[in-house]
Short mmCIF file of all heavy atoms in Angstrom, two decimals:
data_model
loop_
_atom_site.label_atom_id
_atom_site.label_comp_id
_atom_site.label_asym_id
_atom_site.label_seq_id
_atom_site.Cartn_x
_atom_site.Cartn_y
_atom_site.Cartn_z
N GLY A 97 -7.48 83.06 101.79
CA GLY A 97 -6.06 83.13 102.10
C GLY A 97 -5.20 83.42 100.88
O GLY A 97 -4.06 82.97 100.80
N GLU A 98 -5.73 84.20 99.95
CA GLU A 98 -5.03 84.50 98.70
C GLU A 98 -4.57 85.95 98.68
O GLU A 98 -5.32 86.86 99.06
CB GLU A 98 -5.94 84.23 97.51
CG GLU A 98 -6.40 82.78 97.41
CD GLU A 98 -7.42 82.54 96.31
OE1 GLU A 98 -7.85 83.51 95.65
OE2 GLU A 98 -7.79 81.37 96.11
N TRP A 99 -3.35 86.18 98.22
CA TRP A 99 -2.86 87.54 98.05
C TRP A 99 -3.44 88.14 96.77
O TRP A 99 -3.57 87.45 95.75
CB TRP A 99 -1.34 87.54 97.94
CG TRP A 99 -0.62 87.03 99.15
CD1 TRP A 99 -1.12 86.90 100.41
CD2 TRP A 99 0.73 86.57 99.21
NE1 TRP A 99 -0.17 86.39 101.26
CE2 TRP A 99 0.98 86.18 100.55
CE3 TRP A 99 1.75 86.45 98.28
CZ2 TRP A 99 2.21 85.68 100.96
CZ3 TRP A 99 2.98 85.96 98.68
CH2 TRP A 99 3.21 85.58 100.01
N LEU A 100 -3.75 89.42 96.82
CA LEU A 100 -4.21 90.13 95.62
C LEU A 100 -3.01 90.55 94.78
O LEU A 100 -1.97 90.95 95.33
CB LEU A 100 -5.03 91.36 96.00
CG LEU A 100 -6.53 91.14 96.27
CD1 LEU A 100 -6.75 90.21 97.47
CD2 LEU A 100 -7.23 92.47 96.49
N LEU A 101 -3.15 90.47 93.48
CA LEU A 101 -2.10 90.92 92.57
C LEU A 101 -2.24 92.42 92.34
O LEU A 101 -3.34 92.98 92.36
CB LEU A 101 -2.18 90.16 91.25
CG LEU A 101 -2.01 88.64 91.37
CD1 LEU A 101 -2.14 87.98 90.01
CD2 LEU A 101 -0.68 88.27 92.01
N ASP A 102 -1.11 93.08 92.13
CA ASP A 102 -1.08 94.54 92.00
C ASP A 102 -1.24 94.92 90.53
O ASP A 102 -0.31 94.80 89.73
CB ASP A 102 0.24 95.08 92.55
CG ASP A 102 0.24 96.60 92.69
OD1 ASP A 102 -0.67 97.24 92.13
OD2 ASP A 102 1.14 97.13 93.36
N LEU A 103 -2.41 95.41 90.19
CA LEU A 103 -2.77 95.71 88.80
C LEU A 103 -2.68 97.20 88.49
O LEU A 103 -3.15 97.64 87.43
CB LEU A 103 -4.22 95.25 88.53
CG LEU A 103 -4.66 93.91 89.09
CD1 LEU A 103 -6.15 93.70 88.80
CD2 LEU A 103 -3.83 92.78 88.52
N ARG A 104 -2.06 98.00 89.33
CA ARG A 104 -2.25 99.45 89.27
C ARG A 104 -1.51 100.16 88.15
O ARG A 104 -1.91 101.26 87.77
CB ARG A 104 -1.88 100.07 90.62
CG ARG A 104 -2.87 99.74 91.72
CD ARG A 104 -2.45 100.30 93.06
NE ARG A 104 -1.24 99.66 93.56
CZ ARG A 104 -0.66 99.95 94.71
NH1 ARG A 104 -1.18 100.91 95.48
NH2 ARG A 104 0.43 99.31 95.10
N THR A 105 -0.45 99.59 87.63
CA THR A 105 0.31 100.30 86.59
C THR A 105 0.38 99.46 85.32
O THR A 105 0.31 98.22 85.38
CB THR A 105 1.74 100.61 87.06
OG1 THR A 105 2.49 99.38 87.15
CG2 THR A 105 1.74 101.32 88.41
N PRO A 106 0.54 100.10 84.17
CA PRO A 106 0.68 99.33 82.92
C PRO A 106 1.84 98.34 82.97
O PRO A 106 1.71 97.21 82.48
CB PRO A 106 0.90 100.42 81.87
CG PRO A 106 0.25 101.64 82.43
CD PRO A 106 0.48 101.56 83.91
N ALA A 107 2.95 98.75 83.56
CA ALA A 107 4.12 97.86 83.61
C ALA A 107 3.82 96.61 84.44
O ALA A 107 4.19 95.49 84.05
CB ALA A 107 5.32 98.61 84.20
N LYS A 108 3.15 96.79 85.56
CA LYS A 108 2.83 95.63 86.39
C LYS A 108 1.81 94.73 85.70
O LYS A 108 1.91 93.50 85.77
CB LYS A 108 2.32 96.08 87.76
CG LYS A 108 3.42 96.68 88.64
CD LYS A 108 2.91 96.98 90.04
CE LYS A 108 4.06 97.50 90.91
NZ LYS A 108 3.67 97.69 92.32
N ARG A 109 0.84 95.33 85.05
CA ARG A 109 -0.15 94.52 84.33
C ARG A 109 0.52 93.71 83.23
O ARG A 109 0.18 92.53 83.01
CB ARG A 109 -1.26 95.41 83.77
CG ARG A 109 -2.15 96.02 84.85
CD ARG A 109 -3.40 96.64 84.26
NE ARG A 109 -3.15 97.83 83.47
CZ ARG A 109 -3.14 99.07 83.95
NH1 ARG A 109 -3.33 99.29 85.25
NH2 ARG A 109 -2.93 100.11 83.15
N GLN A 110 1.47 94.29 82.53
CA GLN A 110 2.17 93.56 81.48
C GLN A 110 2.98 92.41 82.07
O GLN A 110 3.01 91.30 81.51
CB GLN A 110 3.08 94.51 80.70
CG GLN A 110 2.35 95.51 79.81
CD GLN A 110 1.74 94.87 78.57
OE1 GLN A 110 2.04 93.72 78.24
NE2 GLN A 110 0.90 95.61 77.89
N ARG A 111 3.65 92.65 83.17
CA ARG A 111 4.45 91.59 83.79
C ARG A 111 3.56 90.46 84.31
O ARG A 111 3.88 89.28 84.15
CB ARG A 111 5.29 92.17 84.93
CG ARG A 111 6.43 93.08 84.47
CD ARG A 111 7.14 93.71 85.66
NE ARG A 111 7.75 92.70 86.52
CZ ARG A 111 8.16 92.94 87.76
NH1 ARG A 111 8.00 94.14 88.30
NH2 ARG A 111 8.72 91.97 88.47
N LEU A 112 2.45 90.83 84.92
CA LEU A 112 1.52 89.81 85.39
C LEU A 112 0.92 89.02 84.24
O LEU A 112 0.79 87.79 84.30
CB LEU A 112 0.40 90.47 86.21
CG LEU A 112 0.79 90.95 87.60
CD1 LEU A 112 -0.28 91.87 88.17
CD2 LEU A 112 1.02 89.77 88.53
N ALA A 113 0.57 89.73 83.17
CA ALA A 113 -0.02 89.05 82.01
C ALA A 113 0.98 88.09 81.38
O ALA A 113 0.58 87.07 80.79
CB ALA A 113 -0.50 90.07 80.99
N ALA A 114 2.27 88.39 81.48
CA ALA A 114 3.28 87.47 80.94
C ALA A 114 3.31 86.18 81.76
O ALA A 114 3.41 85.08 81.20
CB ALA A 114 4.65 88.15 80.95
N ILE A 115 3.21 86.30 83.08
CA ILE A 115 3.23 85.11 83.94
C ILE A 115 1.95 84.30 83.76
O ILE A 115 1.99 83.10 83.47
CB ILE A 115 3.39 85.52 85.42
CG1 ILE A 115 4.77 86.16 85.64
CG2 ILE A 115 3.19 84.32 86.34
CD1 ILE A 115 4.94 86.80 87.01
N VAL A 116 0.82 84.96 83.92
CA VAL A 116 -0.46 84.25 83.80
C VAL A 116 -0.67 83.78 82.36
O VAL A 116 -1.25 82.72 82.12
CB VAL A 116 -1.61 85.17 84.26
CG1 VAL A 116 -2.97 84.48 84.06
CG2 VAL A 116 -1.43 85.55 85.73
N GLY A 117 -0.16 84.55 81.41
CA GLY A 117 -0.27 84.16 80.01
C GLY A 117 0.41 82.84 79.71
O GLY A 117 -0.07 82.06 78.87
N ARG A 118 1.51 82.56 80.38
CA ARG A 118 2.17 81.26 80.19
C ARG A 118 1.28 80.12 80.68
O ARG A 118 1.26 79.04 80.09
CB ARG A 118 3.52 81.25 80.90
CG ARG A 118 4.57 82.13 80.22
CD ARG A 118 5.96 81.85 80.74
NE ARG A 118 6.16 82.33 82.10
CZ ARG A 118 6.57 83.55 82.42
NH1 ARG A 118 6.83 84.44 81.46
NH2 ARG A 118 6.75 83.90 83.68
N TRP A 119 0.55 80.36 81.76
CA TRP A 119 -0.38 79.34 82.24
C TRP A 119 -1.51 79.13 81.22
O TRP A 119 -1.92 78.00 80.96
CB TRP A 119 -0.98 79.75 83.58
CG TRP A 119 0.02 79.99 84.66
CD1 TRP A 119 1.32 79.56 84.70
CD2 TRP A 119 -0.19 80.72 85.87
NE1 TRP A 119 1.93 79.98 85.86
CE2 TRP A 119 1.03 80.69 86.60
CE3 TRP A 119 -1.27 81.39 86.41
CZ2 TRP A 119 1.17 81.31 87.84
CZ3 TRP A 119 -1.14 82.01 87.65
CH2 TRP A 119 0.07 81.97 88.35
N ILE A 120 -2.00 80.23 80.67
CA ILE A 120 -3.06 80.15 79.67
C ILE A 120 -2.58 79.37 78.45
O ILE A 120 -3.28 78.49 77.92
CB ILE A 120 -3.53 81.56 79.28
CG1 ILE A 120 -4.25 82.23 80.46
CG2 ILE A 120 -4.42 81.52 78.04
CD1 ILE A 120 -4.56 83.70 80.25
N ASP A 121 -1.37 79.68 77.99
CA ASP A 121 -0.81 78.95 76.84
C ASP A 121 -0.70 77.46 77.14
O ASP A 121 -0.95 76.62 76.27
CB ASP A 121 0.57 79.51 76.49
CG ASP A 121 0.52 80.93 75.97
OD1 ASP A 121 -0.58 81.42 75.64
OD2 ASP A 121 1.59 81.57 75.91
N ARG A 122 -0.32 77.14 78.37
CA ARG A 122 -0.20 75.73 78.75
C ARG A 122 -1.57 75.04 78.71
O ARG A 122 -1.68 73.88 78.29
CB ARG A 122 0.42 75.62 80.14
CG ARG A 122 0.51 74.20 80.69
CD ARG A 122 1.43 73.31 79.87
NE ARG A 122 1.46 71.95 80.37
CZ ARG A 122 2.33 71.50 81.28
NH1 ARG A 122 3.23 72.34 81.80
NH2 ARG A 122 2.30 70.26 81.67
N CYS A 123 -2.60 75.75 79.16
CA CYS A 123 -3.96 75.19 79.07
C CYS A 123 -4.28 74.80 77.63
O CYS A 123 -4.84 73.73 77.37
CB CYS A 123 -4.99 76.21 79.57
SG CYS A 123 -4.93 76.58 81.33
N ALA A 124 -3.94 75.69 76.70
CA ALA A 124 -4.22 75.41 75.29
C ALA A 124 -3.41 74.22 74.80
O ALA A 124 -3.94 73.33 74.11
CB ALA A 124 -3.92 76.65 74.46
N ARG A 125 -2.13 74.18 75.14
CA ARG A 125 -1.29 73.06 74.70
C ARG A 125 -1.77 71.73 75.27
O ARG A 125 -1.66 70.69 74.62
CB ARG A 125 0.17 73.30 75.09
CG ARG A 125 0.85 74.42 74.32
CD ARG A 125 2.36 74.33 74.47
NE ARG A 125 2.79 74.40 75.86
CZ ARG A 125 3.05 75.54 76.50
NH1 ARG A 125 2.91 76.70 75.88
NH2 ARG A 125 3.46 75.52 77.76
N ASP A 126 -2.31 71.78 76.48
CA ASP A 126 -2.78 70.55 77.12
C ASP A 126 -4.10 70.04 76.55
O ASP A 126 -4.51 68.93 76.86
CB ASP A 126 -2.92 70.76 78.63
CG ASP A 126 -1.57 70.80 79.33
OD1 ASP A 126 -0.56 70.44 78.71
OD2 ASP A 126 -1.53 71.20 80.52
N GLY A 127 -4.77 70.88 75.76
CA GLY A 127 -5.99 70.43 75.11
C GLY A 127 -7.29 70.97 75.67
O GLY A 127 -8.37 70.49 75.31
N PHE A 128 -7.21 71.98 76.54
CA PHE A 128 -8.43 72.61 77.03
C PHE A 128 -9.06 73.45 75.92
O PHE A 128 -8.39 73.89 74.98
CB PHE A 128 -8.13 73.48 78.24
CG PHE A 128 -7.87 72.70 79.51
CD1 PHE A 128 -6.59 72.30 79.85
CD2 PHE A 128 -8.92 72.37 80.36
CE1 PHE A 128 -6.35 71.58 81.01
CE2 PHE A 128 -8.69 71.65 81.52
CZ PHE A 128 -7.40 71.25 81.85
N ASP A 129 -10.36 73.68 76.07
CA ASP A 129 -11.12 74.46 75.08
C ASP A 129 -11.36 75.90 75.53
O ASP A 129 -11.55 76.79 74.71
CB ASP A 129 -12.48 73.80 74.83
CG ASP A 129 -12.34 72.35 74.42
OD1 ASP A 129 -11.86 72.10 73.30
OD2 ASP A 129 -12.70 71.46 75.22
N GLY A 130 -11.42 76.10 76.84
CA GLY A 130 -11.68 77.42 77.39
C GLY A 130 -10.91 77.61 78.68
O GLY A 130 -10.31 76.66 79.21
N VAL A 131 -10.92 78.83 79.19
CA VAL A 131 -10.22 79.15 80.43
C VAL A 131 -11.12 80.01 81.31
O VAL A 131 -11.80 80.91 80.82
CB VAL A 131 -8.87 79.85 80.14
CG1 VAL A 131 -9.05 81.14 79.38
CG2 VAL A 131 -8.10 80.09 81.43
N GLU A 132 -11.15 79.70 82.59
CA GLU A 132 -11.86 80.50 83.59
C GLU A 132 -10.84 81.35 84.33
O GLU A 132 -9.90 80.82 84.93
CB GLU A 132 -12.58 79.58 84.58
CG GLU A 132 -13.15 80.31 85.79
CD GLU A 132 -13.56 79.37 86.91
OE1 GLU A 132 -13.75 78.16 86.65
OE2 GLU A 132 -13.69 79.85 88.05
N LEU A 133 -11.01 82.66 84.27
CA LEU A 133 -10.10 83.60 84.95
C LEU A 133 -10.77 84.07 86.23
O LEU A 133 -11.66 84.91 86.21
CB LEU A 133 -9.77 84.78 84.03
CG LEU A 133 -9.05 84.42 82.73
CD1 LEU A 133 -8.90 85.67 81.86
CD2 LEU A 133 -7.69 83.79 83.00
N ASP A 134 -10.32 83.53 87.35
CA ASP A 134 -11.01 83.79 88.61
C ASP A 134 -10.62 85.13 89.22
O ASP A 134 -9.52 85.65 89.00
CB ASP A 134 -10.68 82.67 89.60
CG ASP A 134 -11.68 82.58 90.74
OD1 ASP A 134 -12.69 83.31 90.71
OD2 ASP A 134 -11.46 81.77 91.66
N ASN A 135 -11.56 85.67 90.00
CA ASN A 135 -11.35 86.84 90.85
C ASN A 135 -11.22 88.16 90.09
O ASN A 135 -10.45 89.05 90.48
CB ASN A 135 -10.16 86.63 91.79
CG ASN A 135 -10.46 85.59 92.85
OD1 ASN A 135 -11.44 85.70 93.57
ND2 ASN A 135 -9.64 84.55 92.92
#
Side-chain angles (χ1 to χ4, degrees):
E98 299 174 356
W99 298 342
L100 274 63
L101 300 179
D102 191 347
L103 318 176
R104 290 177 293 181
T105 70
K108 289 186 177 185
R109 291 192 291 270
Q110 289 287 348
R111 290 175 62 196
L112 286 166
I115 294 171
V116 177
R118 289 193 289 271
W119 302 341
I120 292 171
D121 294 346
R122 176 65 183 269
C123 292
R125 290 197 302 272
D126 285 348
F128 285 90
D129 305 290
V131 59
E132 170 194 341
L133 298 175
D134 200 6
N135 290 306

